[in-house]
Amino acid sequence: MPDTKTLEAPPRAVPGDLLRGYAPPTGVYDEMRGPDGQVRPHYRPLIAALARMSEAERARRFGSAAQYLREAGVFYQVYGGADDGRHTRDWPLAHPPLIIGASEWAQLEAGLVQRAEFLERLIGDLYGERRLVRDGVLPPAILGRNPEFLRPLADQGRSGQPLIRFIAVDLGRGPDGRWWVLGDRTQAPSGAGFALENRVATSRAFPDLTRDLKIQRIAGFFQKFRETLYGLDDARGLRVALLTPGPHNETYFEHAYLARYLGFLLLEGGDLAVHGSSVEVRTVDGSKPIRVLWRRLDSDFADPLELFPRSRIGTPGLVRAVRAGAVELVNALGSGILETRALLAFQPALARALLGEELKLPTVATWWCGQEAERAYVSERRDRLSLAAAFPPASGGGERRQPLDLGIRRSASDRLLDELAGDGVNVVGQEIVGLSTAPVFVEGRLQARPVTLRVFLARGEDGWRVMPGGFARVSSSRDPLAVSMQSGGHSVDVWVPSEREERQVSLLTERRAGFARRLPSAPPARAADNLFWLGRYVERAEAATRLVRLHAARLAEGERAGALEAAVGELLAEIGVEAMVGDASGGLLELAGQAFATASRIRDRFSPDGWRVLSEVVDMIEAYRAAPEPGDLVGLASGVLTRLAGFAGLVHDNMYQFTGWRFLQCGRRVERAQNTALVAAALASNRIPEGGLEALLEFTDSRVTYRRRYSVDLSRSTVLDLVALDPLNPRSVAFQVNAIKALLDELPGMRRGEAPDPLFRRTARLQVRLATGDADEVTEAFLTRVASDCGAISDLLSQRYFAAAPQQGFERLEAE
């Protein structure tokens, strides 16, 4: 461990050539090197430490950070994929961190707090008295033509309560070293969760440096914000939730991660219902009230009744509940108006009117072209300015993603040029930003790359608080346009050194008094539905994989395709796997993808290890299919089965065994019982194909059990007794049905002594049929009826717990 004196040594005193070839572009500010070519003081300890490391050690440390991110399942959704228009990208963390000196950070922090106070007052006026418009400080068109000004909530600012509580500010540094505001993020700012994961990853890679440099911690920022949100529920003790657009959003991982990290519910719009003016969560144990929602979806998609009518991710009536004060949204609906570029043109005057002083952080020079003089100025200089839309885009057919561009485009679209030739209301001209550069390791060498900084602020009872650090993006090349994550950019951690030792902060606060152990609340119906179908999809993938292995193994042994192969092929075709006419791995990939996609919707509900195992299954099958030569299909199937068994073990051992776990297990047991019954009906019916009994034992993984319980000789009666009726065989139909019955007894609403509902009756009848059945009675018709009963149990369970109208359909399903 280097001592303090060594850490503070300038890089030129350190052996090695780490800085050789490091050449920032001329005319820009470099974060690491000053104009004299020397490393800036706040970077010297880091560069000195990195220079003393061998290339192999640096690679090992970078690999440690990457391994953590892979194991945590950190990803980013990139739009423009070949299949459905989007694909996931492993989180692109680069090294080393961006460092901002303590004294410089103090000045930056003061400017950011002032800016947050300015934005808070600005939105309060726009949704309140609107004095800025009345007094002529702001043109009326900035409000009247703005799709982010929500007229159903035009007076929400009159309450005096803050309309914004969590914001982000995008910053860039100009050639003179001054920080400039590139834009405000007030709609649903992303990146805070990724910043937290960046910090964890870099701390894994450089635990000695984060300690010796006294890097300020960021956990306290989240702790204060969580306390603020819990304080908004009027001491009712209700849950706080993070409201997400869903798993197709580009930053869905962050939503799930923050919900889990902060202990919030993760909800989609369909999880909520508004009764009168009360907002309630649809859970499997009935509707539960909720008071505070941290909103991460765009405002106009939040309520299809009063905002965007084609929204499928909102909650009807939510605006009514907001007006009644029954729910607190962070940030308020309509807060995206503060992201309007046209406002940047008037900020100096707005700041003087609202604060009585100039803003400490300047904004990019902006001209709104809705005024004649400004339009003429921009038109004359349009080749030297960046033309951009003055207002956020209106709602379209899909969710509007938060823009990640930085106003640094060098060319304008034909539409903007046409607008500029007209009244220009929808156009702004902006000065082209020259971004500073920061050091990034590229192929083992430090190179200068354009960088932007996103910082986060949260409002508490005592005012605004700035996260000490943030979320920095570096370009994948020297082109500043490639700095966004969608354009292939990378992220780096942001370090702010401190003059004092940093106190360890954790969200797991130590309790001094006693505590009461309480059971978790019932999950939302959507989450329970996904857990149930996750169980079904995993079991379905396992059943298909076992059949594929059985089919491929017989053909590999030189068996001629006969009645057994035909029967197995038909079973696979019913599941969606074409083993007879094509490559069976394609069907396996689709089934594994269904399980993986479902798991992705509920990543906050079980450990990252379980999610990663399913990801490995998909990767394994894709690698097999991508190989230039046909591979060993039997080996692929065995590898997939091993990982699916690992998933089952992780879920059983790591997942808290309460309501959510029970729904997942119900899905597994229903699917296994149904598949086992169908396979037994096909392979052990009265027309048993040659080798059918051996195949059935192999499918149910019951060869060893059969030999211990019966003789080595096979008979139809003994095999069906073991596979269908034996209550102690964990692969038998009876075992699954008994497990389903035990799980149902523990689900919400199942109370002993009350009249049983159709779900309970159908399960109990099937359980009795199997418990009292005889092996000779287990015919093809018997097994087909059992499989049908399992399907009915699934439908009844879905109707009871997942459907919007729980009782609808019970009578029809019971009569079948």
Side-chain angles (χ1 to χ4, degrees):
M1 182 69 62
D3 57 27
T4 304
K5 184 178 295 185
T6 305
L7 277 174
E8 293 177 351
R12 60 177 179 270
V14 179
D17 58 351
L18 186 64
L19 301 181
R20 185 175 300 163
Y22 184 83
T26 57
V28 301
Y29 184 95
D30 186 68
E31 299 291 336
M32 181 183 70
R33 264 186 162 166
D36 57 357
Q38 298 300 311
V39 175
R40 301 183 190 276
H42 58 280
Y43 258 98
R44 288 176 186 172
L46 172 65
I47 298 304
L50 290 172
R52 283 190 298 273
M53 298 177 190
S54 66
E55 189 171 342
E57 182 182 357
R58 288 198 298 267
R60 179 187 61 78
R61 288 177 179 249
F62 298 164
S64 175
Q67 180 181 1
Y68 165 76
L69 294 172
R70 285 194 303 270
E71 292 179 350
V74 186
F75 72 92
Y76 186 79
Q77 194 112 262
V78 181
Y79 292 83
D83 298 327
D84 59 356
R86 59 181 177 273
H87 62 278
T88 59
R89 175 191 180 195
D90 292 339
W91 185 245
L93 178 64
H95 303 280
L98 173 68
I99 302 181
I100 302 176
S103 59
E104 181 183 15
W105 178 259
Q107 297 177 5
L108 187 59
E109 190 174 32
L112 289 167
V113 169
Q114 182 207 40
R115 183 164 191 83
E117 293 171 348
F118 162 69
L119 293 174
E120 182 181 334
R121 295 188 187 185
L122 176 58
I123 192 173
D125 179 78
L126 297 181
Y127 280 102
E129 299 293 335
R130 288 181 279 282
R131 292 179 180 175
L132 295 170
V133 175
R134 186 182 62 200
D135 296 344
V137 182
L138 191 67
I142 301 295
L143 240 58
R145 300 279 288 269
N146 199 325
E148 274 298 329
F149 181 68
L150 304 185
R151 287 165 177 77
L153 293 165
D155 295 326
Q156 61 177 327
R158 296 179 184 272
S159 67
Q161 295 298 313
L163 297 182
I164 53 173
R165 294 184 180 272
F166 191 93
I167 66 172
V169 180
D170 284 332
L171 301 170
R173 199 198 291 264
D176 61 355
R178 295 183 66 192
W179 288 101
W180 289 76
V181 174
L182 303 177
D184 301 298
R185 296 290 176 251
T186 54
Q187 173 80 267
S190 63
F194 291 120
L196 188 57
E197 285 286 45
N198 283 350
R199 177 57 55 85
V200 175
T202 54
S203 297
R204 296 284 182 92
F206 305 109
D208 46 351
L209 295 180
T210 56
R211 180 180 62 253
D212 294 339
L213 272 63
K214 302 182 180 67
I215 302 304
Q216 294 188 38
R217 302 179 185 273
I218 60 178
F221 172 83
F222 289 98
Q223 183 184 53
K224 290 290 186 181
F225 180 60
R226 182 177 68 173
E227 292 173 357
T228 296
L229 294 196
Y230 275 113
L232 295 177
D233 71 354
D234 297 336
R236 302 180 193 180
L238 305 178
R239 296 291 300 274
V240 174
L242 189 150
L243 184 60
T244 174
H248 296 312
N249 184 264
E250 58 193 327
T251 56
Y252 178 73
F253 165 81
E254 182 187 36
H255 304 168
Y257 175 73
L258 286 173
R260 184 169 60 244
Y261 179 72
L262 296 171
F264 297 164
L265 288 172
L266 182 65
L267 302 179
E268 296 180 24
D271 294 327
L272 300 172
V274 178
H275 297 137
S277 60
S278 175
V279 180
E280 298 179 347
V281 183
R282 296 188 179 106
T283 78
V284 294
D285 195 21
S287 296
K288 307 294 182 183
I290 193 160
R291 171 72 179 167
V292 182
L293 297 172
W294 185 10
R295 179 177 64 85
R296 296 300 298 269
L297 78 164
D298 289 346
S299 296
D300 46 0
F301 284 85
D303 186 346
L305 287 183
E306 297 196 54
L307 300 176
F308 181 49
R310 288 188 290 165
S311 171
R312 296 184 178 181
I313 58 175
T315 305
L318 187 60
V319 169
R320 182 174 71 246
V322 169
R323 281 198 299 263
V327 63
E328 189 81 36
L329 289 183
V330 179
N331 291 330
L333 295 175
S335 56
I337 195 173
L338 295 176
E339 298 182 5
T340 302
R341 286 195 183 94
L343 285 174
L344 298 177
F346 302 93
Q347 284 199 358
L350 293 172
R352 288 190 293 270
L354 293 171
L355 301 178
E357 60 185 13
E358 301 292 333
L359 291 173
K360 298 176 182 178
L361 288 175
T363 58
V364 175
T366 305
W367 295 266
W368 178 56
C369 298
Q371 298 167 306
E372 184 175 351
E374 284 75 7
R375 183 166 63 254
Y377 179 87
V378 172
S379 297
E380 293 173 3
R381 295 165 177 79
R382 61 178 178 270
D383 294 334
R384 287 172 283 167
L385 298 176
S386 169
L387 297 188
F391 305 112
S395 301
E399 183 199 348
R400 185 175 68 242
R401 300 190 300 275
Q402 174 176 302
L404 293 176
D405 62 273
L406 302 168
I408 53 179
R409 293 170 300 280
R410 295 184 176 86
S411 60
S413 67
D414 292 339
R415 182 185 62 80
L416 287 176
L417 292 174
D418 291 342
E419 294 271 6
L420 183 62
D423 63 9
V425 171
N426 295 321
V427 183
V428 296
Q430 291 185 302
E431 183 181 8
I432 294 177
V433 178
L435 297 177
S436 63
T437 57
V440 179
F441 275 100
V442 179
E443 297 180 351
R445 305 291 301 175
L446 282 177
Q447 296 188 17
R449 290 289 186 261
V451 62
T452 65
L453 172 64
R454 176 170 292 186
V455 290
F456 301 91
L457 298 93
R459 193 189 194 284
E461 293 300 319
D462 53 350
W464 287 92
R465 182 184 180 94
V466 184
M467 177 195 293
F471 169 71
R473 291 171 291 183
V474 294
S475 178
S476 56
S477 66
R478 290 181 177 270
D479 183 4
L481 294 176
V483 78
S484 76
M485 307 305 290
Q486 288 288 339
S487 302
H490 289 69
S491 172
V492 295
D493 193 12
V494 180
W495 285 3
V496 179
S498 175
E499 300 295 334
R500 54 182 175 78
E501 292 291 336
E502 282 293 298
R503 182 176 60 88
Q504 184 74 31
V505 179
S506 172
L507 268 67
L508 301 175
T509 55
E510 182 178 351
R511 292 178 178 269
R512 298 181 179 179
F515 67 93
R517 181 189 299 159
R518 296 176 180 175
L519 293 174
S521 58
R526 174 195 52 83
D529 190 6
N530 281 308
L531 285 165
F532 176 75
W533 279 100
L534 173 60
R536 292 205 64 173
Y537 285 144
V538 169
E539 279 296 322
R540 190 170 300 175
E542 179 182 334
T545 305
R546 290 185 178 278
L547 289 172
V548 165
R549 185 173 66 171
L550 175 64
H551 187 271
R554 288 183 62 85
L555 295 181
E557 293 169 0
E559 296 284 348
R560 301 176 64 181
L564 177 59
E565 287 73 27
V568 173
E570 291 175 3
L571 287 168
L572 283 168
E574 291 178 4
I575 303 177
V577 179
E578 296 296 336
M580 303 296 291
V581 297
D583 185 355
S585 63
L588 293 184
L589 179 60
E590 184 174 350
L591 292 173
Q594 288 177 334
F596 178 70
T598 304
S600 298
R601 297 184 67 94
I602 45 174
R603 294 188 61 181
D604 59 316
R605 293 284 163 180
F606 59 96
S607 75
D609 289 337
W611 183 87
R612 192 171 61 255
V613 168
L614 294 180
S615 177
E616 290 174 357
V617 170
V618 173
D619 293 342
M620 177 183 294
I621 302 174
E622 287 181 338
Y624 173 89
R625 290 176 56 79
E629 297 292 335
D632 178 10
L633 188 56
V634 175
L636 171 67
S638 296
V640 169
L641 288 175
T642 299
R643 281 163 176 77
L644 292 179
F647 174 82
L650 286 168
V651 166
H652 188 274
D653 291 342
N654 296 355
M655 189 174 176
Y656 191 74
Q657 296 188 7
F658 196 53
T659 305
W661 176 84
R662 289 169 186 148
F663 279 108
L664 189 149
Q665 293 300 318
C666 277
R668 292 187 61 219
R669 300 303 180 182
V670 166
E671 187 71 24
R672 182 177 292 184
Q674 189 174 49
N675 289 333
T676 302
L678 290 173
V679 173
L683 301 184
S685 63
N686 294 330
R687 304 178 303 279
I688 302 176
E690 183 180 352
L693 295 179
E694 295 93 333
L696 180 57
L697 289 177
E698 182 176 342
F699 172 79
T700 56
D701 200 16
S702 299
R703 286 180 178 272
V704 174
T705 304
Y706 183 87
R707 289 170 181 168
R708 295 189 64 183
R709 297 218 44 193
Y710 307 96
S711 64
V712 176
D713 296 332
L714 295 178
S715 72
R716 179 181 181 278
S717 297
T718 52
V719 170
L720 288 178
D721 180 65
L722 177 65
V723 169
L725 304 178
D726 192 334
L728 300 182
N729 178 14
R731 287 281 173 177
S732 76
V733 177
F735 187 95
Q736 314 312 316
V737 175
N738 290 341
I740 294 169
K741 177 62 169 56
L743 290 164
L744 291 180
D745 287 341
E746 299 297 326
L747 290 181
M750 292 293 189
R751 300 181 180 88
R752 295 182 180 180
E754 294 184 355
D757 68 4
L759 173 60
F760 184 93
R761 286 198 296 267
R762 180 61 70 95
T763 307
R765 288 172 183 170
L766 179 57
Q767 184 182 37
V768 170
R769 185 180 303 125
L770 292 168
T772 59
D774 182 83
D776 293 334
E777 300 174 11
V778 183
T779 62
E780 183 176 356
F782 179 95
L783 291 168
T784 303
R785 176 60 189 269
V786 168
S788 176
D789 284 344
C790 291
I793 289 171
S794 175
D795 291 340
L796 288 165
L797 186 144
S798 298
Q799 287 287 348
R800 177 181 177 89
Y801 291 105
F802 311 145
Q807 300 300 320
Q808 184 179 3
F810 272 11
E811 294 77 8
R812 175 182 59 80
L813 289 168
E814 175 65 7
E816 291 180 353

